[in-house]
Amino acid sequence: MEALGMRIPIADPDIGEEELANVITAVRSGWISSAGEFIIRFEQQFAQYCGAKYGVATSSGTAAIHLALAALGIGKEDEVIVPTLTFIATANAVTFTGASPVFVDSHPEYWCMDPNRIEERITKRTKAIIPVHLYGHPCDMSAISDIAKSYNLLIIEDAAEAHGAEYKHQKVGSFGDVSCFSFYGNKIITTGEGGMCLTDNEELATRLRKLRDHGKNSARAYWHDVIGFNYRMTNLQAAVGVAQIDKLDRLIQKKRAIGALYEEALGDLVQQGVIKLYHEMPWSKSVWWMYSILIEDSFGKDRNEVAEELLNREIATRPVFYPIHTMPPYYNHQTFPVSEEISRKGLTLPSGLTLSNDDITTICSLITSMSQTR
Ligand SMILES: *Cc1c(COP(=O)(O)O)cnc(C)c1O
């Protein structure tokens, strides 16, 4: 249950004097709209951090995914494979282009799309796969890339929740034809609202920039040869972003420390089999964007009851995402049992950047006291 003014919030940003100083510089410079020094620096520094050549900053993460799909020519009649267990924006961005999202079930250990479930969903119309690095844990990129290669499919990474996460020591955002990030207020780093597309392909970067800016022709002023969007980021947002990049490694360390503390403090309940954690796979470095657990039936209380009791102590939690195929815009008759089970049992615990060790101890002892099998 998310709400303002909780004693322990679900996720809060780490912003301060450095961000403020950059914003003041931007305001004083007069460059407050979507051109300026900070935009250029933010795009270059973030791309470099992730190991990609080009960065194209956008107004949101959703805009970044839509822009990537549009620049790759995805449209009507096309199908794009997405996990059903993700934030709804992943599927909506596909729908915006006129294409259809085709859902895939989750892997039971690490909750991202299960590579073994992809091939059965490929048809003649399939054009692309969008792996989502869910809750900061990377997808199995080798397995997904192999499938994409053999069926000639594009890969668009949705790394909105996974800045700095690594697959086999390589940062996410460097695997896709285009990779997309969000800088919404609760993400690993933030610009308030914002997003970015990364790519190594110069031509694609140019097309992303053109479509971001109303499809403007670069050679002939106010001539538009395609329908584009206004998906630009402002220099004010990028000013915040530049300061956030400097903190990114420290923020990731903090997220990983939160994950490790939860794992330790919930160890007894895991031993008893009444809760289950999602695992960091041996090939991955997760950034634990939002630490989530499964409340097993043997716990004695269900996920909603646990959330309710924590809320009574002013501790904010969230249910894990609802599988997209179970919600009205995307209802269909398929079942994806792994995602459905994770969603039914999944509880996201406070994971904010100002969370203290004492907060974690408090939360875990409350949860332990709720379990009736002690
Ligand atoms: C947050 C998020 C998005 C969308 O980002 P916005 O900046 O909120 O538009 C897309 N995909 C996933 C997986 C997300 O978590």
Side-chain angles (χ1 to χ4, degrees):
M1 319 284 122
E2 245 168 314
L4 285 174
M6 288 282 110
R7 186 161 59 85
I8 304 182
I10 186 87
D12 47 350
D14 180 328
I15 47 173
E17 292 306 315
E18 301 83 357
E19 286 77 4
L20 184 60
N22 282 0
V23 171
I24 290 170
T25 305
V27 170
R28 290 214 168 107
S29 77
W31 293 94
I32 57 165
S33 204
S34 46
E37 280 302 308
F38 285 112
I39 297 268
I40 295 165
R41 275 170 61 191
F42 187 48
E43 290 182 337
Q44 286 177 350
Q45 288 176 10
F46 191 70
Q48 187 179 23
Y49 181 88
C50 297
K53 279 199 186 139
Y54 306 100
V56 178
T58 59
S59 48
S60 72
T62 310
I65 304 169
H66 184 203
L67 190 64
L69 290 161
L72 290 166
I74 308 285
K76 262 205 196 88
E77 313 291 323
D78 295 337
E79 290 178 354
V80 177
I81 292 179
V82 303
T84 187
L85 193 70
T86 174
F87 182 54
I88 197 162
T90 317
N92 285 350
V94 174
T95 305
F96 296 164
T97 68
S100 308
V102 171
F103 300 115
V104 172
D105 208 352
S106 301
H107 191 283
E109 295 290 311
Y110 61 96
W111 303 9
C112 297
M113 76 172 24
D114 186 344
N116 296 314
R117 300 261 83 96
I118 295 176
E119 270 182 288
E120 65 203 38
R121 310 293 287 143
I122 294 174
T123 71
K124 287 201 176 71
R125 290 163 58 184
T126 310
K127 290 285 153 54
I129 306 175
I130 309 186
V132 179
H133 308 299
L134 196 69
Y135 293 119
H137 192 293
C139 293
D140 185 348
M141 291 313 298
S142 303
I144 293 169
S145 301
D146 286 348
I147 294 167
K149 259 195 215 109
S150 50
Y151 292 89
N152 201 20
L153 306 176
L154 297 159
I155 294 181
I156 297 134
E157 276 179 81
D158 180 344
E161 305 177 354
H163 319 59
E166 293 175 16
Y167 173 77
K168 295 184 179 165
H169 305 291
Q170 184 182 332
K171 289 215 167 63
V172 304
S174 61
F175 295 93
D177 293 282
V178 181
S179 303
C180 304
F181 288 84
S182 165
F183 304 109
Y184 181 67
N186 66 16
K187 302 295 160 106
I188 308 271
I189 57 171
T190 185
T191 58
E193 295 273 3
M196 199 180 296
C197 293
L198 301 182
T199 182
D200 284 340
N201 180 324
E202 189 178 3
E203 215 176 296
L204 205 46
T206 305
R207 206 167 333 142
L208 289 163
R209 287 179 197 288
K210 176 173 179 163
L211 289 174
R212 174 179 66 174
D213 193 13
H214 303 287
K216 214 181 256 176
N217 186 303
S218 58
R220 188 173 171 190
Y222 288 93
W223 183 257
H224 303 266
D225 37 26
V226 291
I227 295 177
F229 315 98
N230 175 359
Y231 278 168
R232 299 172 308 226
M233 175 183 274
T234 68
N235 199 45
L236 293 177
Q237 291 166 303
V240 173
V242 165
Q244 288 271 291
I245 291 177
D246 288 340
K247 300 179 175 175
L248 181 47
D249 281 327
R250 183 170 59 73
L251 300 185
I252 290 168
Q253 269 175 25
K254 168 86 188 180
K255 287 283 193 191
R256 286 182 60 79
I258 291 171
L261 273 171
Y262 272 128
E263 208 170 311
E264 192 189 314
L266 294 170
D268 286 348
L269 294 181
V270 173
Q271 283 278 304
Q272 294 164 30
V274 298
I275 70 164
K276 210 174 152 206
L277 310 179
Y278 72 119
H279 295 288
E280 188 171 44
M281 302 303 278
W283 37 260
S284 89
K285 180 181 170 189
S286 172
V287 290
W288 300 130
W289 170 56
M290 290 224 181
Y291 198 82
S292 305
I293 62 174
L294 299 184
I295 308 289
E296 294 292 349
D297 297 334
S298 57
F299 186 87
K301 289 195 167 75
D302 71 18
R303 185 267 315 274
N304 294 342
E305 291 169 319
V306 175
E308 185 72 33
E309 288 196 27
L310 289 170
L311 184 65
N312 290 340
R313 308 294 187 100
E314 288 190 63
I315 296 167
T317 60
R318 301 192 343 187
V320 161
F321 295 124
Y322 295 101
I324 295 178
H325 74 278
T326 66
M327 291 190 279
Y330 296 101
Y331 273 153
N332 64 38
H333 300 298
Q334 289 146 357
T335 54
F336 298 94
V338 179
S339 300
E340 288 165 27
E341 186 181 341
I342 292 168
S343 171
R344 181 170 67 80
K345 299 177 174 175
L347 182 70
T348 296
L349 300 176
S351 307
L353 291 163
T354 63
L355 195 68
S356 73
N357 294 1
D358 285 349
D359 291 337
I360 295 174
T361 311
T362 306
I363 294 161
C364 294
S365 35
L366 275 169
I367 294 175
T368 305
S369 70
M370 286 175 215
S371 168
Q372 292 168 359
T373 58
R374 277 185 315 136

